[in-house]
Amino acid sequence: MIWRLKEKAKDILSNETGTIFKEASLRVALVYPNTYEIGTSNLGFQLIYRILNSITNISAERVYLPDSEDIKLYELGEDLFSLESQRQIGEFDVIAFSIPFEGDYINVLKILELSKIPFRSLDRGEDYPLVIAGGMATLLNPEPLAPFIDAFIIGEGEYITREVFEIVARREPKCKTLERLSEVQGVYIPSFFKPIYNQDGTFAGHLPSLRVQKRFVDDLHLHPAGSTILTKNTTFSDMYLIEVSRGCGGACRFCAEGFVYRYPRHRDKDSIIAEIKKAKEMGRRVGLISPMLLDHPDLKEIIAEAKKEGIQASLSSLRADALDEDMLETIRMSGQKTLTIAPEAGSDFLRRSVNKHFTNEDITRSAELSYKFGITNLKLYFMVGLPGETDEDVKAIGELGKAIRGVFPRGKVTIGVNPLVPKPWTPFQWAPFPKLKDVERKYQIIKDEVKGASGIKLSLSSPRLFYIQALLSRGSRRVSRFLELALEEKGSYTKALRKWESNPDFYTYRERRADETFPWDFIDHGISKRFLRKEYDKSFEGRKTPECVVPICKLCGVC
């Protein structure tokens, strides 16, 4: 069986451009806990792959979760291996997980299982690789994974990665390595700290107390911005991705990225154009990635340069209030035919409550202009379960969809809806996750409203999967047992919830007290918790908070 898996790996490699083959004294298995197609589409994962391999004494090889067909072969007894050299994972010195989404937590355990490596760090002696983790999900709240990880990297990886692996390369006993790592800013060693709880089950703190200050990169333009590996076998096919900016000043109250990556930073025009020229050498399209793309001061010049180079540029999700005729002409120049807008709410008041201050009129006008400028597919994203939401607000989602269809008469209008997951480090971290029955009822309101409207496609996300995401997002270290049970039940969260001794609703449906201590409070993002609470209270009044403007704004505590 192993020969079949290795032949498949070699076939995957044969379709790649930019693969790094390297032998060095310190071997790192860089793991994305999902399939190859998804993981190779992740620009952050690719950038860490490049950074690690730029260090002389490190060779980093990629590992992905096998697809459903291959996983059956591994479960017959074969050890999971890396892509580049097909080396077994247990033979590496370090296993480094890059984890952007909480839904992939169970895959972290599955990959350890397939590698025949004990889940819990306390069960792994000197003969096992050091297990490190980082990424967006653990930047918010690493506690549900804490028993399984030796060291978490909290923050942006450009500098801290080198510092961490300089220590690991000394090859000292694991306990000594962890002691040294604990002295590095941005490293969290969970085995050094014991969580304590109040009698009602709420989190009380860690013993000893701790504070981990995240690592932050000021000078983005000094670091790689574009894809390392290109292949047709990914979500974005052979598109060359470029990170244009990091962070967002929009201050949307539900958005973790807008808070933990503060303050917002743009890469300079010259470094982005240099990446576009690299893409041209490879004969590829480019995807410009940023949560605040239209805020980049040189975006029009960047797109014009791409057109001059004969490169088609695709733009990520755009703000409705920033779409004018000049910008749409720029988008038309890029050749893009699909536009993504995230109104989040159907009514103006509820949109103000999340601190988005464009109106239904603005959105409809943007849709009409988009149609005139050649856009043929319009994607709109909404949430239900926002604090203070009424049925009229939910109905307004369908009404807005129909109004947009009225000014966008041909092509496709897709309305995507999911329940709000209140994330750590956002003003909504105190809010409850909406009840599943209530989400289903609200979905039905939207269905009824658009029933019979031609040209509108509804895409309604599974409330149950978002319930699990809410549990994993805001859970304490006690949630780790639920993950183990889910793996025992072959990925069935439903069966795991039945066997778990804790009440999951305690983590999901419960509105947090204003003075409650959270499991993630030990991370120092520079943001004042008092500021976040004020933002939560303001949401019920639909009150505006200005956008984050560097260095003028001093509201949140970061600057």
Side-chain angles (χ1 to χ4, degrees):
M1 296 295 182
I2 191 68
W3 65 268
R4 188 186 305 173
L5 294 168
K6 289 191 174 183
E7 284 301 312
K8 183 173 181 178
K10 291 173 183 176
D11 182 61
I12 288 171
L13 290 170
S14 70
N15 286 294
E16 290 186 344
T17 303
T19 315
I20 300 171
F21 295 97
K22 182 182 176 185
E23 283 291 338
S25 58
L26 189 72
R27 295 171 175 171
V28 178
L30 180 61
V31 185
Y32 191 95
N34 211 308
T35 60
Y36 174 85
E37 180 182 3
I38 295 171
T40 308
S41 302
N42 185 281
L43 182 56
F45 182 69
Q46 292 211 25
L47 293 179
I48 291 296
Y49 176 68
R50 189 190 306 184
I51 289 168
L52 283 170
N53 278 304
S54 71
I55 302 171
T56 304
N57 63 331
I58 291 178
S59 60
E61 301 186 20
R62 292 164 294 147
V63 179
Y64 302 94
L65 180 75
D67 61 31
S68 56
E69 181 180 323
D70 291 346
I71 214 162
K72 295 174 185 175
L73 298 178
Y74 283 110
E75 287 174 341
L76 292 175
E78 301 293 353
D79 281 11
L80 189 63
F81 55 77
S82 66
L83 186 58
E84 282 81 356
S85 69
Q86 291 93 58
R87 181 178 285 117
Q88 292 183 356
I89 308 307
E91 296 177 13
F92 285 82
D93 302 298
V94 180
I95 300 173
F97 286 96
S98 178
I99 313 171
F101 307 113
E102 297 89 353
D104 289 333
Y105 284 175
I106 189 173
N107 297 335
V108 171
L109 298 192
K110 186 63 181 178
I111 286 167
L112 291 174
E113 179 185 61
L114 294 176
S115 305
K116 298 182 175 59
I117 293 172
F119 296 155
R120 293 188 171 248
S121 57
L122 294 178
D123 296 329
R124 296 193 295 265
E126 296 292 334
D127 294 337
Y128 291 102
L130 189 72
V131 179
I132 293 175
M136 179 62 178
T138 60
L139 182 61
L140 298 177
N141 177 22
E143 285 301 277
L145 282 179
F148 314 121
I149 305 298
D150 294 317
F152 286 100
I153 292 178
I154 306 294
E156 300 171 8
E158 280 84 351
Y159 290 120
I160 191 173
T161 300
R162 296 177 184 275
E163 294 175 30
V164 164
F165 283 94
E166 281 178 9
I167 292 171
V168 175
R170 298 178 186 181
R171 296 184 180 278
E172 294 178 308
K174 188 174 289 187
C175 60
K176 186 65 176 178
T177 298
L178 293 178
E179 283 179 15
R180 292 190 188 278
L181 288 175
S182 70
E183 297 170 359
V184 176
Q185 179 190 330
V187 173
Y188 168 45
I189 311 297
S191 61
F192 287 3
F193 303 94
K194 179 183 178 181
I196 53 175
Y197 301 89
N198 299 309
Q199 283 191 334
D200 62 359
T202 56
F203 182 76
H206 288 93
L207 286 178
S209 62
L210 77 155
R211 194 76 173 158
V212 177
Q213 186 177 0
K214 79 164 181 197
R215 294 298 289 272
F216 184 85
V217 178
D218 280 308
D219 45 5
L220 282 182
H221 64 281
L222 297 179
H223 304 281
S227 296
T228 304
I229 293 167
L230 293 175
T231 174
K232 62 184 179 181
N233 300 318
T234 66
T235 304
F236 296 108
S237 188
D238 58 356
M239 183 180 289
Y240 187 97
L241 302 178
I242 302 172
E243 184 190 44
V244 173
S245 310
R246 189 176 296 176
C248 178
C252 298
R253 293 180 175 123
F254 60 86
C255 179
E257 187 171 0
F259 289 95
V260 299
Y261 284 118
R262 287 192 172 196
Y263 55 88
R265 293 142 287 161
H266 298 296
R267 292 184 185 270
D268 65 56
K269 178 182 68 175
D270 291 342
S271 65
I272 296 169
I273 289 174
E275 293 288 351
I276 289 172
K277 290 181 177 178
K278 285 183 188 177
K280 181 183 179 181
E281 292 171 7
M282 305 170 86
R284 312 290 180 163
R285 300 172 296 142
V286 299
L288 302 179
I289 307 298
S290 168
M292 53 172 182
L293 189 58
L294 295 187
D295 291 342
H296 196 289
D298 301 313
L299 181 62
K300 292 180 181 179
E301 294 176 58
I302 290 166
I303 293 176
E305 185 66 27
K307 185 177 181 182
K308 177 182 171 183
E309 296 288 343
I311 295 291
Q312 180 182 340
S314 177
L315 281 61
S316 54
S317 180
L318 304 174
R319 286 169 44 177
D321 57 334
L323 283 173
D324 55 22
E325 292 191 5
D326 285 346
M327 183 52 66
L328 284 164
E329 177 58 33
T330 302
I331 293 170
R332 178 156 64 182
M333 284 168 47
S334 75
Q336 184 168 330
K337 296 294 183 182
T338 298
L339 203 62
T340 302
I341 299 173
E344 311 300 354
S347 69
D348 291 346
F349 175 80
L350 202 60
R351 199 171 302 115
R352 288 196 301 273
S353 80
V354 302
N355 209 36
K356 283 196 169 187
H357 294 274
F358 50 85
T359 64
N360 284 353
E361 184 179 343
D362 294 329
I363 297 166
T364 306
R365 177 190 56 81
S366 295
E368 185 174 15
L369 276 175
S370 300
Y371 179 75
K372 290 178 180 177
F373 278 82
I375 297 296
T376 56
N377 295 299
L378 193 59
K379 296 181 179 180
L380 306 163
Y381 288 104
F382 297 88
M383 289 184 288
V384 294
L386 291 164
E389 181 183 73
T390 67
D391 284 357
E392 287 302 310
D393 294 315
V394 177
K395 184 180 178 184
I397 293 174
E399 292 172 341
L400 179 57
K402 290 190 295 184
I404 288 170
R405 188 60 185 170
V407 299
F408 199 91
R410 288 191 291 275
K412 186 164 64 175
V413 175
T414 302
I415 297 176
V417 189
N418 62 260
L420 166 74
V421 175
K423 292 282 187 171
W425 295 107
T426 71
F428 287 166
Q429 64 183 346
W430 283 273
F433 180 78
K435 298 286 181 67
L436 292 179
K437 288 184 179 179
D438 204 33
V439 174
E440 295 286 7
R441 185 182 63 80
K442 290 175 179 179
Y443 279 180
Q444 191 59 51
I445 291 173
I446 299 169
K447 288 179 186 177
D448 291 343
E449 186 59 35
V450 301
K451 187 177 181 180
S454 63
I456 294 178
K457 178 186 176 184
L458 270 184
S459 177
L460 306 175
S461 298
S462 165
R464 285 166 177 78
L465 285 180
F466 276 74
Y467 176 92
I468 296 299
Q469 186 186 139
L471 169 62
L472 298 177
S473 295
R474 297 196 296 175
S476 67
R477 202 175 293 194
R478 288 174 169 174
V479 173
S480 61
R481 180 57 188 150
F482 164 71
L483 287 168
E484 290 176 311
L485 290 170
L487 191 66
E488 288 176 16
E489 295 298 335
K490 302 188 183 303
S492 172
Y493 289 126
T494 302
K495 291 180 180 178
L497 288 173
R498 291 195 196 109
K499 291 178 69 174
W500 191 31
E501 62 276 9
S502 297
N503 178 8
D505 295 349
F506 177 80
Y507 299 97
T508 53
Y509 292 153
R510 183 175 61 86
E511 184 172 12
R512 291 354 187 219
R513 298 190 318 270
D515 62 349
E516 187 165 331
T517 299
F518 299 135
W520 52 88
D521 277 350
F522 70 91
I523 300 173
D524 182 2
H525 286 291
I527 302 169
S528 160
K529 190 174 180 181
R530 184 178 177 186
F531 165 77
L532 293 176
R533 181 66 199 193
K534 284 183 178 179
E535 286 296 295
Y536 181 52
D537 293 338
K538 285 168 69 175
S539 72
F540 293 95
E541 303 168 17
R543 288 167 56 197
K544 181 177 183 178
T545 295
E547 292 193 4
C548 176
V549 180
V550 181
I552 300 169
C553 173
K554 304 290 182 184
L555 290 175
C556 73
V558 170
C559 295

